[in-house]
Amino acid sequence: QVQVVESGGGLVQVGGSLRLSCTASGLKFDDYAMVWFRQAPGKEREGVSCASWSGASTYYADSVKGRATISRDNAKNTLHLQMNSLKPEDTAMYYCAVANGGFCSASWRSYEYNYWGQGTQVTVSS
């Protein structure tokens, strides 16, 4: 049984930083690319970042490019998202998803994934 668990969210002031983590079990973690999504109340889900199985290839939404860094520790089955210079518009529930293969597809931001975590809330206050 695949389980995905996010952590690291919280309340932070504008300009602050957070490091989100995602742990996946029940699968061979380094066989799969991993993806971060977020969803704010009343808005559509947004693909934030994707990392290939090795972490060598990474992709970002324009909204976070230059402020976010995705990384993974395959020995610990863990994915991270370092978010810096946080803005109020970064406020959302952040979710981690397991891709269907080892690489981020061209449609990684809109693809339907089978395994998701329950999310971790990030709130940026001004």
Side-chain angles (χ1 to χ4, degrees):
Q1 181 181 357
V2 176
Q3 288 190 321
V4 180
V5 180
E6 302 93 339
S7 61
L11 176 63
V12 63
Q13 291 188 332
V14 169
S17 298
L18 278 178
R19 189 189 195 208
L20 307 183
S21 297
C22 166
T23 301
S25 59
L27 49 71
K28 192 173 183 298
F29 186 73
D30 58 4
D31 273 355
Y32 300 97
M34 297 292 293
V35 189
W36 283 104
F37 284 86
R38 67 185 181 185
Q39 188 165 21
K43 294 190 176 181
E44 291 189 357
R45 187 181 66 193
E46 177 188 20
V48 176
S49 184
C50 182
S52 64
W53 69 272
S54 66
S57 298
T58 57
Y59 304 87
Y60 298 93
D62 287 344
S63 57
V64 302
K65 203 170 289 184
R67 302 188 296 119
T69 302
I70 191 171
S71 62
R72 59 191 296 163
D73 183 343
N74 287 343
K76 296 182 179 179
N77 282 23
T78 300
L79 178 75
H80 299 289
L81 183 70
Q82 176 71 40
M83 294 281 294
N84 300 323
S85 302
L86 284 162
K87 305 175 181 180
E89 51 263 44
D90 293 318
T91 295
M93 187 72 80
Y94 283 71
Y95 299 92
C96 177
V98 181
N100 294 342
F103 296 93
C104 303
S105 72
S107 58
W108 67 269
R109 297 190 66 194
S110 58
Y111 195 84
E112 293 296 326
Y113 297 98
N114 291 327
Y115 302 110
W116 294 81
Q118 293 194 338
T120 186
Q121 177 69 38
V122 172
T123 302
V124 183
S125 68
S126 53

